[in-house]
Amino acid sequence: PGPTSTNPDWVTLQQSALYAPPLPTLAGCPPPGVVLTMVELEAAAGAQMDCLQAAWKPTLADLGYSTQDIPVFFFAGDRVETPCGEVSAPALYCSAQGGAIYFGETTLNGAAWHDFGVKDMAGHEYGHHLQSEAGMFMAEYSVGGDNESARRLELQATCFGYAMIAHDPSFTMTRSVYDSFEPYLRAVVEDGIHGSKDSVATWGLRGLYSSSLGNCNTWTALPGDVD
């Protein structure tokens, strides 16, 4: 439906209060850089998550969402047991028990070849936490629960993540930095859930131009834009 739907679940997804506030400017984030080991990953991702959580607290408080920091865990291999069950992924967000983010060893596959690999992953997973706080996970399950609605959720988190990168002053957005993002976004493995290479690139780059999360509203986009 269009963005004027009165269905409560579609209102949650299409008209979320999360879309209105200006994006916070991050402070104290680590500079971008490749990471090659789990020790380096824990340091870089932990610092980036601290930066994200601190920056979002005032906005979360204004929206009436929880301002409690969520834990961050690291695991070897590509599988981890969580309160959401056993999951195989480079990194993931579990919404159970208030939320938690997990970074696995295979996160290094991207973080070892692109300076922004850690920031990309941290922003994406924290984007899922914002969705969870806004009630979007349950609403998505109610209105769809299929691959298309899952893609809308994932592509929105990608857009959220790159919107956070755009408000991260730990680096200077030069032309060469900007030009490096699209090839990285297009390196996604197309699994039917996280979006096609075109869609991931579109929504990631869209995030870089966003002054609020309203620019990342995948829930009013045509199906062809979230393939």
Side-chain angles (χ1 to χ4, degrees):
T4 58
S5 173
T6 57
N7 177 290
D9 292 312
W10 280 109
V11 169
T12 295
L13 296 167
Q14 295 180 324
Q15 304 172 43
S16 176
L18 187 62
Y19 297 149
L23 276 150
T25 298
L26 309 184
C29 295
V34 298
V35 298
L36 303 175
T37 68
M38 284 300 290
V39 172
E40 293 174 348
L41 177 63
E42 289 189 28
Q48 187 69 22
M49 285 303 308
D50 288 346
C51 166
L52 289 170
Q53 299 207 72
W56 278 97
K57 281 184 188 295
T59 301
L60 294 174
D62 288 344
L63 293 171
Y65 301 159
S66 172
T67 59
Q68 186 72 32
D69 281 351
I70 59 172
V72 180
F73 301 102
F74 298 87
F75 62 95
D78 63 355
R79 302 188 73 85
V80 63
E81 188 67 42
T82 78
C84 298
E86 186 180 45
V87 181
S88 176
L92 63 121
Y93 171 76
C94 172
S95 61
Q97 302 173 5
I101 289 175
Y102 299 75
F103 292 93
E105 189 173 3
T106 55
T107 302
L108 296 173
N109 292 343
W113 70 270
H114 194 276
D115 285 350
F116 288 82
V118 170
K119 290 183 183 290
D120 170 294
M121 196 68 75
H124 180 99
E125 300 307 336
Y126 192 71
H128 281 318
H129 180 61
L130 295 177
Q131 290 171 325
S132 178
E133 285 296 310
M136 292 180 175
F137 279 17
M138 292 302 297
E140 181 271 333
Y141 181 79
S142 296
V143 304
D146 55 14
N147 279 10
E148 182 182 309
S149 63
R151 286 195 300 274
R152 291 181 188 274
L153 205 65
E154 292 293 342
L155 290 167
Q156 183 171 64
T158 294
C159 186
F160 283 2
Y162 277 80
M164 295 177 213
I165 287 175
H167 291 77
D168 181 341
S170 68
F171 70 99
T172 300
M173 183 69 81
T174 63
R175 184 76 225 185
S176 62
V177 168
Y178 179 86
D179 287 344
S180 75
F181 287 127
E182 185 168 359
Y184 183 75
L185 287 160
R186 287 185 175 278
V188 66
V189 175
E190 295 186 349
D191 59 2
I193 299 295
H194 289 81
S196 67
K197 295 178 187 298
D198 284 347
S199 289
V200 172
T202 294
W203 288 99
L205 295 177
R206 186 179 178 93
L208 293 176
Y209 289 90
S210 301
S211 59
S212 73
L213 295 184
N215 202 40
C216 296
N217 190 350
T218 56
W219 302 98
T220 57
L222 295 172
D225 293 329
V226 290
D227 64 355

